[in-house]
Structure formats: C-alpha cells, structure tokens
Amino acid sequence: MSVIGLGMMGTTLARLLLQAGYRVTVWNRNAEKAAQLVKEGAVLAQGAAAAINASAITVICVHDYKATGQILDTTEVKAALHGKILVQLTSGSPQEALDSETWAQQQGAAYLDGAIQAAPSQMGRPDTPIFVSGTANAFKQTEAILHIFGGRVTYFGEQAGAASAIDLATLSAIYGTMMGFLHGARIVEAAGFRVDTYGSLVAGIIATFGDFLQHEANVIHSGNFNISESPLKISVDAVERILQQAKDAGIHSGFPAYAAGLFRQAADAGLENEELAALIKVLRG
Ligand code: NAP
C-alpha cells in the first residue's frame, strides 16, 4: 500500500495501515513529515512516482485537488499509474472527482473517489464513516483497506462524483443545523438565560429530530406530500415568529430572514397545506 500526503489525515491513514500489518510506502512534499512513520515501519519513497510504483493501490490525501494535480500531473507519475488503483481521499467537489477520474483513466489507472467524514483522531473506529464512489472493481479491490480507515464504508456506485456530492449534502445538513443552533444561542443570550443549558436541551432533542428528518426525506423520495407529520403552515408561522423576535430583541436576523423568505415563497406557491418537506419544491425552483 502507498500513501501520498502526510498531513494530519494522511499520516493517520498510513499509520492505520501499518498497524493492520500492511507494508506501507509513503511520500510527502515535505519529507520530514515521514520521519516518525519510517520509525514505525513505513518506507519513504523518493518521489510520488516511486510511491505509486511500489504498490498496486495508492491512497492520496492532500490539502485539495489542486495539490493533487501538482503531485500527480508529471510524466513519471503518469507512467507509474498505468494498471494501478488510485484512491483519492482528498476533500473536493463532485466535478473535481469526475475530472480526476477522467484524468486517472487516461493514465490507465482505476479510480475511486472518497470523502472522509471524521477527524484524524476518530479514524479507524467501527463507526467512522467513509463515503466512496467510482469503478466497482476498484471498490472491490480496496474495500478491505477502506475498512481499516473506518468501519462504516458506504459505496455510492460508479459515478465518481457521488461520494463528494453526498459529503457536501451531509455537511449542508450539519451547517444548516449549526446556523439555527447559533441563532438560538443568541435568542437565549438576549433573553438572559444560560447557553450551556440551552445546549443540553438541544442535545436532548437531536435524536428525535433525526427521526423527523428521516420522515421528511421519505416524503420527498415518495413524492407524496400529503400532510403526514407536520403541515408546512406551522413552519411558515413559526419562522415568522423567530424573525419577529430577532427584530424585537435587536439580534442578528440574517438566519430567520433567509428561512422566513423561503417559507413565504412556499406559502405563496400554495404549499401551506402540504407536508413540511414540500419546501423542497421552492428549492427546486
Ligand atoms: P493538512 O494536515 O493540512 O495536510 C495537507 C497535506 O497536503 C500535506 O501533506 C501537504 O504537504 C499537502 N499539500 C498541500 N499543498 C500541496 C501541494 N501544492 N503540493 C504537494 N502537497 C501539498 O491536511 P489534512 O488534515 O491531512 O487533510 C487532508 C485532506 O483530508 C483534506 O482534503 C481534508 O479536507 C481531508 N479531511 C481532513 C480532516 C481533518 O480533520 N483533518 C477530516 C476529513 C477530511 P506538506 O506537508 O508538504 O505541506
């Protein structure tokens, strides 16, 4: 196994492979970062091409796809990639994944694109999520290795951009929740209550909220927006109240103004008496 990129994540990936008993070849632009891994049993390659030559499978995990391009787009590396499997675990966009796959296939390499949804200290656990997509054969041949990185490996099929797309979708859910949470913290602060107590309350309802999100996702998937859990109208009114309270309390109204704007569009489109998930019809444009 070869690992290119020894930042915090790449170092962790290489170490997990060593601990699992693999012979690991590593390369990093700054060779000093390989020193500790070499002490632990890794072999330091003299260049990216040499690292790829050393193994059937190479994992690359660097800052971004621009860095990936700078490392891989050389005559030596292109020649080395022929007949190999390249696993791209650098974070990027779906389009970058597709472009990267096309480029790798032009070099005669099988390509798998992945997204890691965990911090380095969380890697290697049974519940660590790894999303991957790309050629089925490349997945089959790398599945055991991916399971060393994280126990919850999900393969999203042959469309190489899928893993990045799902990664961004779940990040969107997290950041959207975080925006709402932080706005809530301002409501609590402005009302003179303890934010840590508010945090405990929110933590307590998150599990139930997960069930609710799953229900709304099922509604979207089914295409049946008849009211089954929560009429959209309730949310139109609730978000207006959050916006009004922000104005009354003199707190930043950016988040509720955005949300209220979307719900108003839904009401104007006659969706008030459909299930909450019908808001997606506004987002579809
Ligand atoms: P990092 O510690 O900042 O390391 C960045 C790596 O990229 C280093 O190996 C660095 O090489 C290399 N690099 C950057 N620009 C380069 C260039 N132009 N040419 C060659 N090498 C270059 O980052 P990281 O935390 O390991 O993250 C790596 C990837 O994992 C990122 O895409 C990140 O989004 C993803 N990820 C990270 C985390 C996390 O919590 N850390 C979680 C999930 C996903 P040098 O050492 O020579 O500078």
Side-chain angles (χ1 to χ4, degrees):
M1 277 295 311
S2 293
V3 177
I4 292 178
L6 300 176
M8 285 182 294
M9 188 55 84
T11 296
T12 304
L13 301 179
R15 182 164 288 130
L16 285 168
L17 291 169
L18 283 170
Q19 288 167 353
Y22 281 83
R23 186 179 182 280
V24 182
T25 300
V26 294
W27 181 81
N28 191 59
R29 180 179 61 177
N30 172 0
E32 284 172 22
K33 288 191 186 166
Q36 182 55 36
L37 285 167
V38 168
K39 281 186 196 158
E40 294 170 29
V43 175
L44 174 62
Q46 291 311 304
I52 293 164
N53 270 322
S55 312
I57 302 169
T58 295
V59 173
I60 182 162
C61 184
V62 289
H63 179 64
D64 57 14
Y65 279 64
K66 195 169 161 222
T68 297
Q70 286 169 358
I71 294 166
L72 299 181
D73 202 3
T74 69
T75 311
E76 297 77 23
V77 168
K78 285 182 187 176
L81 275 171
H82 191 83
K84 305 283 184 168
I85 298 175
L86 181 63
V87 181
Q88 171 70 270
L89 292 181
T90 302
S91 303
S93 72
Q95 189 58 51
E96 285 176 316
L98 289 170
D99 293 345
S100 196
E101 179 191 48
T102 302
W103 181 87
Q105 287 177 347
Q106 282 165 355
Q107 317 318 320
Y111 183 80
L112 205 63
D113 200 279
I116 297 171
Q117 289 218 318
S121 65
Q122 299 167 319
M123 297 302 293
R125 296 184 190 167
D127 62 346
T128 304
I130 312 269
F131 296 166
V132 285
S133 50
T135 51
N137 200 29
F139 175 63
K140 209 169 143 197
Q141 292 183 63
T142 55
E143 194 175 356
I145 286 155
L146 293 167
H147 269 98
I148 291 167
F149 298 156
R152 275 178 43 213
V153 176
T154 310
Y155 173 60
F156 290 101
E158 296 223 314
Q159 211 260 53
S164 293
I166 308 278
D167 182 44
L168 292 176
T170 52
L171 283 176
S172 170
I174 289 165
Y175 281 112
T177 306
M178 184 55 83
M179 287 293 106
F181 175 76
L182 293 174
H183 182 79
R186 283 296 294 126
I187 296 176
V188 171
E189 276 183 348
F193 292 105
R194 287 178 59 146
V195 174
D196 58 347
T197 305
Y198 157 71
S200 306
L201 289 171
V202 175
I205 60 172
I206 279 291
T208 323
F209 186 59
D211 294 342
F212 182 65
L213 291 179
Q214 181 64 67
H215 175 78
E216 298 303 311
N218 293 346
V219 166
I220 294 168
H221 181 72
S222 74
N224 178 358
F225 291 92
N226 291 337
I227 294 167
S228 50
E229 200 65 82
S230 177
L232 190 137
K233 180 162 185 6
I234 291 178
S235 294
V236 175
D237 297 342
V239 177
E240 280 298 345
R241 280 200 304 281
I242 298 170
L243 177 58
Q244 187 57 50
Q245 189 275 344
K247 290 174 182 165
D248 294 346
I251 61 179
H252 199 292
S253 62
F255 170 71
Y258 168 72
L262 289 177
F263 276 105
R264 253 182 247 130
Q265 282 183 55
D268 292 346
L271 302 173
E272 279 188 314
N273 292 317
E274 295 194 15
E275 178 61 25
L276 170 57
L279 186 68
I280 199 162
K281 296 179 186 179
V282 172
L283 299 177
R284 284 172 181 159

